[in-house]
Structures are given as C-alpha cells and as structure tokens.
Amino acid sequence: MPERYDVITMGRIGVDLYPLQTGLPLARVDTFGKFLGGSPSNVAVAAARLGRRTAVVTRTGHDAFGEYLHHQLREFGVDDQWVTPVDAYPTPVTFCEIFPPDDFPLYFYRQPKAPDLEIHTSELDLGAIRSARVFWMTGTGLCAEPSRTATLAALRARDRRGITVFDLDWRPMFWDTTQDTSQDAPETAPEDTPAARYREALALATVAVGNLDECEIATGEREPYAAARALIGAGAELAVVKQGPGGVLAVHRDGSVAEVPPLPVEVVNGLGAGDAFGGALCHGLLAGWETGRIMRYANAAGAIVASRLACSSAMPFPYEVEAALTEGAVTSRPTGATP
C-alpha cells in the first residue's frame, strides 16, 4: 500500500506576478517576480517546508505557465501527480500592488474560467483523499461547477475522518455576480448562495479557519467569539478566527479557548501570511500540540512570510519559526538563511 499523505490540499493554483518595486501602483512598476500562487497550493508548500508529505489536487492550463507551476511544485517538494492540464483555459495569473504595511490590492486574471474550477469528481483519487491525515479545501472551490460538486464529493469521501479543514477563503469576485450574497442567517439562506454552500461544506469539516469577513459570510457573525461558536454549531470541532492586528482566536468544541496576539513584524507583503499560517496549522495539528502552541507557531510562520516579498518561496523552515518564537518577533533574515 502506498504511503499516505500528511496533507492533501485541493483548489486554486496560478502564477503570481509581484512587483519588485514596493509603494508604486502597477502603472508605474517596471519589474516583476514570478512565483507559484494560489492559496491551497501555497498551504501545501508551507506544510512541505515544515517536513510534511504533501500533494495538491488542482488543474492548470496546457501552457508554459502550467509547466512552470509543475516545476515549482516539485522544487518545493509537493507531489503534483493530481495537477492536470485543461486545454480550453489558460493558467491564471495574479498581480498585486504592494503598499506596506496593510494595503496589498490583488488583480486576478481568471477569465473566461480558471482551470482549477474544472476539477471533476471522476478524476479524484478518493482513496488517497480519504486516507490523508489532513485534507484542506477552500471556499473558492465551491464557487462554480464542476469544482463545487468535486469538492463536496471529496469532503463526503472523508466522512469527517482525520483532520478535514475548510479554509473559508472568501473571494467575492470569483462568484456569479447574479447570486445573492446578502447576509441572510445561514440556516435560512436560499439554496444557491455562498452562505448555503459554505453551510453545506461546514457540516463535513472538522476544522474551520477564516478571517472576520470570511466568518461573516459563512455564519452571519462578525464578533470573533460569536463567529467561532457559530462555526462550531455548523459542524466544526475547531474554529480558528484570524483577526489581523487583533491576533487569532481558536475555540474547540470541548470548550477550550486560545487567544494569541500577533508576533511583531515589519510587514513587506502580507498576502502570503495566511497560507503560511495554514501550513503551520496543519503541521501543529498533525504533531498533536495543544491549541495555544499551534496558534503561536502558526502566527510566527505567517509573520515571517509577511516580512518577505513572495508567498510560496517565502514559506519558512522549522528553524526559522522556532527562532521567531524564541526572539518574540520577526527579524529580517533571507529565506533559508542559516540560524
């Protein structure tokens, strides 16, 4: 029997084209760096950097950017066997603007449709997904067919085994603009709305993680404790509410609570911090750490990436996270530098 994966993620992938000049609008930027992007793909990279056996389920265009993403995944130690090409659509690209410390507009080029939304149930290795110690999916995977049906099929195959993480990942621009995204109470939301789709997935997940905006979409609640309780009421065993400068709140169904402040950091680009947090969250859950330790570790991983320009290539190694925790802050250190 093949060795099972520590972490399998499913969903978005693309090429990030980030300006190498900060504090400038795109119209004035001359040079860009090219990086692997897409939240679940970055989470797989982050977990691999921390020593976990990871894979990603996604699709690219049948083009040069798709080849680049395969190469990058393999370079980062992420299994790409379930990354397949789509002839009809190009590999997506994403641009950002970098205005530290807290303004990083994103520009997604995913039209007429992103290949990662063309994941079909028939193509899934449900045996591998079922046996993975952690399965990670995102809200974006629910925004269109056939990805929605495939994502829910993967969740049902898990049947709440092991650790099944729903990253709420709310990206309104990916959803059909004719859909009602108003904040009805989730239990009374019309069937074909984001709130209803999120409710369906939450019932199949054991861990829910999201920021305040994402929690509001999923539960109708924005106050952190109320949102966490609502996520648990919807099915999660562990609810993780990210509050940016307010730190992170984690509430378990057993009543335990961990509230952890952010680690001090001079922010360069905050866009990859959540993905680093996600990979570290997976790592800590797999290690069986208590919730407070997991949150401190994940916070540190996220802060390290926020201190760097890139996302995927900026994911920290274990010694870097431990150093940040020991120092109580993130100090400038190039990726992969010796301790």
Side-chain angles (χ1 to χ4, degrees):
M1 176 180 291
E3 182 185 357
R4 67 174 177 163
Y5 290 87
D6 291 320
V7 181
I8 294 179
T9 69
M10 179 175 176
R12 197 162 75 248
I13 196 169
V15 174
D16 287 345
L17 295 173
Y18 284 0
L20 300 181
Q21 301 153 282
T22 63
L24 290 177
L26 284 181
R28 294 176 54 198
V29 172
D30 296 318
T31 57
F32 295 84
K34 181 176 65 175
F35 307 97
L36 178 147
S39 180
S41 301
N42 281 336
V43 169
V45 171
R49 277 272 169 95
L50 297 173
R52 298 299 178 176
R53 183 170 187 253
T54 71
V56 61
V57 179
T58 189
R59 306 195 73 183
T60 70
H62 200 170
D63 52 28
F65 275 157
E67 292 177 16
Y68 165 76
L69 294 174
H70 275 280
H71 173 77
Q72 287 294 103
L73 288 169
R74 292 192 292 267
E75 281 277 303
F76 291 129
V78 178
D79 193 326
D80 65 343
Q81 67 172 306
W82 298 306
V83 182
T84 57
V86 176
D87 290 332
Y89 305 121
T91 299
V93 297
T94 302
F95 290 87
C96 78
E97 292 175 317
I98 301 176
F99 297 104
D102 59 2
D103 187 17
F104 308 101
L106 282 168
Y107 302 88
F108 293 97
Y109 291 80
R110 291 170 59 87
Q111 299 299 327
K113 187 179 185 180
D116 54 58
L117 294 176
E118 282 291 298
I119 302 172
H120 294 261
T121 304
S122 61
E123 299 166 340
L124 297 178
D125 185 338
L126 293 177
I129 288 171
R130 188 180 295 112
S131 67
R133 298 174 70 196
V134 175
F135 177 66
W136 178 289
M137 48 72 64
T138 77
T140 295
L142 303 173
C143 76
E145 294 290 3
S147 172
R148 178 186 300 137
T149 295
T151 301
L152 292 170
L155 288 173
R156 293 189 182 103
R158 292 284 292 178
D159 195 24
R160 297 175 63 86
R161 292 179 181 85
I163 301 163
T164 302
V165 185
F166 180 7
D167 175 6
L168 302 180
D169 184 43
W170 171 242
R171 303 285 183 177
M173 69 286 292
F174 297 162
W175 292 75
D176 183 347
T177 55
T178 64
Q179 290 180 317
D180 177 14
T181 58
S182 63
Q183 292 309 298
D184 296 293
E187 65 274 9
T188 61
E191 182 179 353
D192 194 23
T193 63
R197 300 300 182 187
Y198 274 51
R199 186 178 68 243
E200 189 173 5
L202 279 168
L204 299 166
T206 64
V207 179
V209 55
N211 62 32
L212 293 175
D213 291 338
E214 293 164 341
C215 289
E216 187 174 14
I217 288 294
T219 69
E221 300 284 356
R222 188 172 182 86
E223 193 280 323
Y225 280 92
R229 289 192 294 268
L231 290 170
I232 290 171
E237 296 294 317
L238 175 66
V240 180
V241 182
K242 297 183 290 186
Q243 304 170 71
V248 61
L249 169 69
V251 178
H252 198 279
R253 184 178 292 277
D254 65 11
S256 60
V257 175
E259 194 161 12
V260 177
L263 208 64
V265 59
E266 184 175 342
V267 175
V268 174
N269 182 0
L271 291 174
D275 302 334
F277 182 100
L281 172 66
C282 293
H283 179 65
L285 289 169
L286 288 169
W289 296 341
E290 58 89 16
T291 304
R293 181 182 178 186
I294 295 172
M295 295 304 116
R296 289 189 292 274
Y297 194 93
N299 256 2
I304 289 168
V305 173
S307 74
R308 298 169 175 173
L309 175 67
C311 291
S312 52
S313 61
M315 296 301 167
F317 293 95
Y319 71 82
E320 294 177 299
V321 183
E322 295 295 344
L325 288 169
T326 298
E327 295 167 11
V330 175
T331 56
S332 296
R333 216 186 249 119
T335 307
T338 55

